[in-house]
Amino acid sequence: MKTGVVLLNMGGPSSLEQVLPFLTGLFNDPRILGIRNGLVRKALASYIISRRLPTAISHYELIGGRSPLLEHTEKLAPKVEQELAQLGIEAMVAAGMRYLEPRTPATVQQLVEKGCSRIVGFSMYPHYSLSTTGSSVEDFQQATQDIQGVQTHLVESYPDERFYIAAMRQKIDQALQKCQHKPLLLFCAHSLPEKLIRSGDPYRDHIYRTVQALLEFYPDYAHDVVFQSRATRGKWLEPDIDHRLPELVDEGHENMLVVPVSFTCDNVETVYELEMEHRELAGVVGVKEYAVVECLNDSDLFAHAIAHMISRELHHD
């Protein structure tokens, strides 16, 4: 039985011309803004896009005119195929993006046409949230629901799965080796509106599960958890990295290693916001050594983790 695997993510612009359609798809998704009324959502989305577009384009210009997310995912796919083959699973692995090509429905169709009789949707978001995982999973389910004779499976979250944590540890260890001074480990996650958490979204709990699992291996390091990239007004998860950086300096932490925990692939929020924008802020507020851990991207250990999670999902049934 040939297995198709769709690596589910939101995607990112591959050129500056794609920034507008990317933002349009993102902010018109009812799960992102949490507004079901189509007219209200469209009006708010248009307002947000008009305000963010020039800035977003300038940010992408600074990182090479495109997001690296798809490239990392496409490099990861054959590694996952090889890992699955070692587990006795013949598989074809491909990217399935939510807002730009290659879109999930097209990827699913291609895998079916190539003879895959079961399809696994693997979320590239380790921490479940209705706004990200929920949207990509719904897209996957809609793409597969009418296909006859094909089994479907999902891996939706894995905040403290042991192979995922091992892959994260490898990236942290590699970054620590380059640090001149012992740093504070600053775990940074994408923020979410507090109202989502109050409604039962497990995202924040999942973030802290990852942090706690990692800290078992770094008991002698000071640490903190911050959030980044709030998109609209209202109460969002705190503390915000912008506010917390100067406080940490005041508390005596002048050396910091930022660990992005909510992304598996580098993107504009890691390559621009953390590597550039917040590095500059860190220097202004008195941080002496500032470094950012690379995301998992196409690491061999991450491919190994994905393959084992898929294998467990398939054998679970």
Side-chain angles (χ1 to χ4, degrees), residues 108-279:
V108 167
Q109 188 60 41
Q110 290 169 6
L111 291 173
V112 172
E113 290 173 355
K114 291 179 180 179
C116 295
S117 55
R118 62 183 177 187
I119 307 291
V120 181
F122 182 90
S123 173
M124 293 289 282
Y125 311 105
H127 316 98
Y128 187 95
S129 174
L130 292 170
S131 62
T132 50
T133 320
S135 182
S136 289
V137 165
E138 182 178 56
D139 193 33
F140 173 80
Q141 292 173 329
Q142 290 176 349
T144 57
Q145 64 183 0
D146 295 327
I147 301 176
Q148 300 296 319
V150 174
Q151 300 176 18
T152 59
H153 301 262
L154 276 166
V155 177
E156 294 184 307
S157 65
Y158 40 96
D160 46 13
E161 195 277 334
R162 63 189 180 101
F163 291 120
Y164 162 66
I165 294 298
M168 288 287 292
R169 284 176 54 206
Q170 182 187 58
K171 290 292 186 180
I172 294 171
D173 290 344
Q174 289 170 350
L176 284 172
Q177 289 174 4
K178 299 176 183 178
C179 292
Q180 299 298 312
H181 306 280
K182 187 174 183 178
L184 171 134
L185 299 180
L186 186 60
F187 297 97
C188 187
H190 192 286
S191 194
L192 277 185
E194 281 277 7
K195 65 180 181 180
L196 282 178
I197 305 302
R198 291 196 300 270
S199 70
D201 193 298
Y203 175 78
R204 180 169 56 188
D205 289 342
H206 280 196
I207 291 293
Y208 279 96
R209 281 171 57 182
T210 294
V211 171
Q212 290 304 314
L214 287 169
L215 286 175
E216 291 183 14
F217 301 94
Y218 304 99
D220 298 328
Y221 284 82
H223 76 279
D224 207 343
V225 180
V226 294
F227 297 90
Q228 68 175 106
S229 308
R230 56 182 297 166
T232 60
R233 295 179 180 177
K235 183 77 170 175
W236 284 60
L237 292 177
E238 294 180 340
D240 184 87
I241 186 172
D242 291 345
H243 299 146
R244 190 66 181 129
L245 279 176
E247 293 176 348
L248 288 169
V249 173
D250 289 342
E251 293 169 13
H253 301 290
E254 297 179 334
N255 306 299
M256 300 182 191
L257 179 61
V258 181
V259 185
V261 289
S262 55
F263 303 110
T264 51
C265 288
D266 278 309
N267 57 81
V268 71
E269 295 181 19
T270 57
V271 181
Y272 171 73
E273 289 187 20
L274 295 181
E275 283 280 9
M276 298 181 184
E277 185 178 40
H278 290 104
R279 180 184 299 277

Side-chain angles (χ1 to χ4, degrees), residues 62-112:
L62 290 169
I63 65 169
R66 60 184 174 81
S67 169
L69 186 147
L70 178 58
E71 181 181 350
H72 288 311
T73 308
E74 290 179 335
K75 289 181 179 179
L76 176 66
K79 294 185 177 184
V80 176
E81 289 180 0
Q82 294 169 8
E83 290 284 347
L84 286 168
Q86 293 180 17
L87 296 174
I89 300 171
E90 180 186 4
M92 299 181 67
V93 182
M97 301 299 164
R98 181 67 180 92
Y99 304 118
L100 287 174
E101 290 73 20
R103 294 180 185 269
T104 295
T107 298
V108 167
Q109 188 60 41
Q110 290 169 6
L111 291 173
V112 172

Side-chain angles (χ1 to χ4, degrees), residues 75-84 87 122 163 167 296-310:
K75 289 181 179 179
L76 176 66
K79 294 185 177 184
V80 176
E81 289 180 0
Q82 294 169 8
E83 290 284 347
L84 286 168
L87 296 174
F122 182 90
F163 291 120
L296 296 174
N297 296 326
D298 64 329
S299 91
D300 293 342
L301 281 185
F302 188 36
H304 181 80
I306 292 172
H308 278 268
M309 285 185 267
I310 289 171

